[in-house]
């Protein structure tokens, strides 16, 4: 992987998105919302509060402003861009709550993720622009850092905790007398306690490869800043775990990953590559989609900023000395029982599956994805949807194959209505503004965790043969099949709320496999059996 190739690819992708960031920004100095990146708030006036996460866009713009090595970068040291970045930082300060926190999806939410992402971006932008002491900006940075230091969000979200630790380190440097070292050590210990012996850091109790790459990046950056924290062993363990699941086409994660993300943040692998060569081997493959123009589409108003600054930091930290020999895992099977992920390699084919998520799998052949399967799903006549990939499942792994079995679960499809919106606003303006964490825990249960069992049992078995893999699904209906209106298998279905999930990539252009006719032919006590010969798909 040559730096000029990576530089050209990153410049092409990032500079194409800069006008979009400008469009999202209120660029009028006399406007009361000057510096706000939430266009739905300041321009469309569809929202009654600004999204605090949006101010994260100051970081990719600051990086673009500072980098003269981006081919075609006409924004380098542009004075108007400089003024807009400063305005964005000031708007983050002026739109924050009195305690320094901010909201993301509903008023008085006080969202740790949005606060951490945007504070990280503001700290970095202040440093890139070389902003000196400033009463408004410094007061905001200090206040938000203190709020994050004291706040414990519900759920274990390692990428958020890594962001908080990163912010506390930057606060310690900018405000050396503010006492951030103790809280930094405390929050770092909390994060490290969430790392499983298999190497992954927990995201709502499971291993998500996309979020893990961000956690790796933030910890690698922290290790470079603070070698005294002795972080290289946990970072290397996380990199070695993720290396098992870099697909032959260079993509990482997807529907089998715990939070179903298709994200990949390469910057930390470049940083860690200075002392752990396998990290560069991961990037040599995982950067191919970026170089070839095959990355998933991240051009969403809320998540595009993460990837823009992640790519730019990758370029700034790129290691020109790369390993001469491939260092990625090559063993026929990689099985991680704690998180339920398994990878099987045979010749030039690879199968990855989540036995903890109903056997969701992907298959690759000759460097391309040829199949993706998120399990049997059924829509009932009352509109509810039963899925395999949210149900509880038990796994068994043997030499000749592996399987998982359990109960299907009802997909999470709750959406806002006008009535629900009014109730949520009244709740947050009264009780919720004083107890935002309680509201968050309740919403997490509705949208993210706490899946309810559906009256269907499943068993999915993967068998190896000389020709390839065979997948056998068996579904039993505890109450008969008469209420099933539609059944089938999708290649990219997800059924809970993950902000960075459900982005598009070309491999999703795979037809829905309709099983409705097979279900209609079943008697009340019959079993639905679906057999998939993967060898047929990859021949």
């Amino acid at each position: 992987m040559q730096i000029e190739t990576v530089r050209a690819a990153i410049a092409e992708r990032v500079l194409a998105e800069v006008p979009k960031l400008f469009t999202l920004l209120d660029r009028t100095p006399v406007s009361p919302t000057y510096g706000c990146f939430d266009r739905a708030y300041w321009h469309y006036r569809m929202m009654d509060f600004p999204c605090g996460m949006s101010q994260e866009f100051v970081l990719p713009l600051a990086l673009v402003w500072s980098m003269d090595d981006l081919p075609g970068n006409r924004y380098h040291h542009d004075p108007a861009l400089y003024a807009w970045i400063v305005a964005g930082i000031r708007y983050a300060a002026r739109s924050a709550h009195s305690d320094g926190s901010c909201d993301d999806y509903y008023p008085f939410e006080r969202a740790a993720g949005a606060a951490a992402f945007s504070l990280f971006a503001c700290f970095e932008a202040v440093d890139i622009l070389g902003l000196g002491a400033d009463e408004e900006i410094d007061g905001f940075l200090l206040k938000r850092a203190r709020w994050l230091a004291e706040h414990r969000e519900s759920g274990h979200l390692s990428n958020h905790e890594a962001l908080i630790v990163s912010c506390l380190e930057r606060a310690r440097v900018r405000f050396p007398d503010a006492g951030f070292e103790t809280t930094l050590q405390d929050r770092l210990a909390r994060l490290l306690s969430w790392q499983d012996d298999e190497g992954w850091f927990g995201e709502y109790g499971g291993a998500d490869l996309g979020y893990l790459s961000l956690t790796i990046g933030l910890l690698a950056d922290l290790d470079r800043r603070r070698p005294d924290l002795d972080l290289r062993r946990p970072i290397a363990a996380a990199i070695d775990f993720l290396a098992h699941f870099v697909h032959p086409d260079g993509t990482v994660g997807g529907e089998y990953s715990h939070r179903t993300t298709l994200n990949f943040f390469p910057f930390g692998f470049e940083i860690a590559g200075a002392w752990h060569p396998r990290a560069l081997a991961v990037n040599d493959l995982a950067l191919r989609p970026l170089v070839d123009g095959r990355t998933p589409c991240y051009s969403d108003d809320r998540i595009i900023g993460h990837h823009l600054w992640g790519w730019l930091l990758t370029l700034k930290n790129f290691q020109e000395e790369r390993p001469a020999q491939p260092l990625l895992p090559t063993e026929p099977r990689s099985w991680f029982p704690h998180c339920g992920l398994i990878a099987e390699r045979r010749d030039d084919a690879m199968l990855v599956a989540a036995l903890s998520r109903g056997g969701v799998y992907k298959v690759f052949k000759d460097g391309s994805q040829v199949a993706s399967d998120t399990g049997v799903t059924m829509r009932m006549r009352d509109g509810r949807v039963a899925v395999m990939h949210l149900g509880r499942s038990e796994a068994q792994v043997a030499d000749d194959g592996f399987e998982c079995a359990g109960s299907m679960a009802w997909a999470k499809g709750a959406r806002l209505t006008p009535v629900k919106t009014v109730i949520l606003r009244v709740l947050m303006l009264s009780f919720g503004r004083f107890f935002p964490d309680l509201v968050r825990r309740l919403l997490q249960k509705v949208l993210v965790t706490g899946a309810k069992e559906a009256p269907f049992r499943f068993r999915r078995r993967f068998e190896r043969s000389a020709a390839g893999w065979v997948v056998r699904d068996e579904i039993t209906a505890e109450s008969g099949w008469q209420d099933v209106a539609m059944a089938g298998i999708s290649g990219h279905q997800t059924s809970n709320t993950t902000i960075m999930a459900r982005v598009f990539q070309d491999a999703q252009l795979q037809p829905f496999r309709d099983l409705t006719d097979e279900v209609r032919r079943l008697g009340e006590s019959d079993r639905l059996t679906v057999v998939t010969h993967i060898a047929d798909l990859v021949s």
Side-chain angles (χ1 to χ4, degrees):
M1 185 71 66
Q2 299 295 317
I3 187 170
E4 292 306 322
T5 303
V6 174
R7 178 180 289 118
I10 289 176
E12 180 180 0
R13 292 300 306 274
V14 171
L15 295 179
E17 296 287 356
V18 169
K20 176 176 180 174
L21 301 190
F22 291 162
T23 298
L24 294 174
L25 172 67
D26 185 348
R27 306 174 302 282
T28 305
V30 296
S31 170
T33 53
Y34 177 45
C36 177
F37 283 92
D38 187 353
R39 185 175 173 85
Y41 174 71
W42 68 263
H43 181 65
Y44 296 129
R45 304 182 189 184
M46 297 163 54
M47 298 299 296
D48 49 351
F49 68 96
C51 171
M53 179 72 84
S54 299
Q55 300 312 114
E56 176 200 18
F57 293 149
V58 299
L59 177 51
L61 291 181
L63 286 165
V64 167
W65 176 87
S66 69
M67 296 175 70
D68 61 358
D69 58 347
L70 285 178
N73 182 14
R74 59 191 178 92
Y75 307 109
H76 179 244
H77 280 191
D78 184 281
L81 176 53
Y82 181 97
W84 292 345
I85 296 166
V86 174
I89 299 170
R90 293 195 187 282
Y91 189 78
R94 294 168 184 172
S95 60
H97 291 300
S98 59
D99 58 5
S101 65
C102 65
D103 304 324
D104 199 0
Y105 290 96
Y106 51 89
F108 299 103
E109 178 187 3
R110 290 179 166 83
F117 266 108
S118 55
L119 182 61
F120 175 85
C122 288
F123 266 124
E124 284 289 286
V126 164
D127 185 58
I128 291 168
L129 298 185
L131 295 182
D134 183 288
E135 183 177 357
E136 180 181 43
I137 291 176
D138 284 343
F140 159 68
L141 296 175
L142 182 59
K143 186 178 293 186
R144 179 162 292 183
R146 284 175 169 164
W147 182 83
L148 283 171
E150 299 169 359
H151 183 72
R152 303 288 195 275
E153 69 177 335
S154 57
H156 289 182
L157 285 77
S158 293
N159 76 100
H160 285 186
E161 198 70 11
L163 277 164
I164 291 170
V165 171
S166 296
C167 290
L168 295 180
E169 169 58 19
R170 285 158 174 78
R172 183 192 69 84
V173 172
R174 191 165 181 93
F175 310 110
D177 299 324
F180 281 108
E181 178 65 20
T182 300
T183 53
L184 184 153
Q185 296 277 358
D186 176 59
R187 298 304 288 263
L188 179 59
R190 185 174 189 243
L191 171 61
L192 295 177
S193 74
W194 295 349
Q195 185 174 29
D196 188 86
D197 292 341
E198 294 176 340
W200 49 274
F201 283 85
E203 298 288 343
Y204 284 112
D208 183 84
L209 303 170
Y211 284 127
L212 178 61
S213 70
L214 176 57
T215 300
I216 289 170
L218 295 165
L219 287 177
D221 172 73
L222 182 60
D223 170 70
R224 180 175 55 182
R225 294 167 180 265
R226 295 286 306 275
D228 60 297
L229 295 176
D230 194 23
L231 293 174
R232 292 194 174 181
R233 183 161 51 178
I235 295 169
I239 291 170
D240 291 345
F241 168 81
L242 186 143
H244 289 274
F245 300 99
V246 183
H247 308 146
D249 65 352
T251 57
V252 177
E255 296 78 21
Y256 70 90
S257 195
H258 187 65
R259 302 298 297 141
T260 71
T261 62
L262 277 166
N263 299 323
F264 181 70
F265 293 87
F267 69 96
F269 295 81
E270 292 298 320
I271 298 172
W275 52 268
H276 191 50
R278 175 170 277 184
L280 298 182
V282 168
N283 260 6
D284 281 344
L285 183 54
L287 286 173
R288 292 308 315 178
L290 180 65
V291 169
D292 297 341
R294 295 184 289 107
T295 58
C297 179
Y298 302 122
S299 193
D300 175 285
D301 290 358
R302 288 182 180 266
I303 67 173
I304 183 60
H306 309 335
H307 299 279
L308 297 181
W309 61 254
W311 291 333
L312 291 169
L313 290 180
T314 300
L315 180 57
K316 288 179 71 69
N317 292 284
F318 193 83
Q319 304 282 338
E320 296 198 54
E321 295 294 325
R322 318 293 286 187
Q325 300 296 324
L327 298 172
L328 294 179
T330 58
E331 57 264 36
R333 173 179 289 172
S334 302
W335 165 231
F336 298 91
H338 295 177
C339 62
L341 295 184
I342 192 167
E344 293 259 338
R345 301 172 186 86
R346 173 175 293 189
D347 299 326
D348 55 357
M350 179 181 185
L351 179 149
V352 289
L355 302 187
S356 58
R357 288 179 53 79
V360 174
Y361 69 85
K362 290 181 179 293
V363 179
F364 300 84
K365 174 77 171 180
D366 296 329
S368 299
Q369 180 180 306
V370 295
S372 182
D373 184 316
T374 56
V376 176
T377 181
M378 289 176 285
R379 189 183 72 212
M380 313 304 287
R381 298 189 187 280
D382 62 5
R384 292 180 299 171
V385 175
V387 297
M388 288 169 52
H389 55 262
L390 287 184
R392 299 192 184 117
S393 57
E394 298 292 331
Q396 294 185 6
V397 177
D399 290 342
D400 62 343
F402 44 92
E403 66 177 46
C404 58
S407 296
M408 296 177 70
W410 296 118
K412 293 179 175 295
R415 286 172 172 78
L416 283 175
T417 65
V419 172
K420 290 180 181 178
T421 300
V422 170
I423 292 173
L424 181 61
R425 289 295 189 269
V426 171
L427 174 65
M428 294 310 301
L429 288 170
S430 54
F431 174 84
R433 67 190 302 173
F434 302 108
F435 302 97
D437 291 335
L438 175 59
V439 175
R440 176 180 169 82
R441 283 195 295 271
L442 294 174
L443 289 176
Q444 282 177 336
K445 188 172 183 180
V446 171
L447 300 173
V448 181
T449 63
K452 294 182 179 179
E453 289 189 1
F456 300 94
R457 300 282 301 176
F458 72 88
R459 180 178 299 276
R460 168 165 280 190
R461 177 161 181 80
F462 297 78
E463 299 172 348
R464 291 190 300 179
S465 68
W469 293 285
V470 177
V471 181
R472 179 181 296 273
D473 289 312
E474 296 180 350
I475 311 293
T476 303
E478 297 176 355
S479 303
W481 301 97
Q482 64 276 4
D483 291 331
V484 177
M486 184 179 182
I489 296 176
S490 170
H492 54 85
Q493 183 177 356
T494 62
S495 302
N496 56 359
T497 299
T498 302
I499 302 309
M500 292 194 193
R502 299 187 183 184
V503 298
F504 172 75
Q505 66 171 351
D506 286 344
Q508 293 172 359
L509 292 170
Q510 173 183 321
F512 181 76
R513 185 177 177 184
D514 198 327
L515 303 173
T516 306
D517 289 342
E518 286 91 324
V519 170
R520 288 174 179 167
R521 288 194 291 265
L522 296 174
E524 182 175 350
S525 59
D526 288 344
R527 178 180 298 169
L528 174 65
T529 301
V530 183
V531 180
T532 304
H533 293 269
I534 297 179
D536 295 340
L537 298 174
V538 300
S539 60

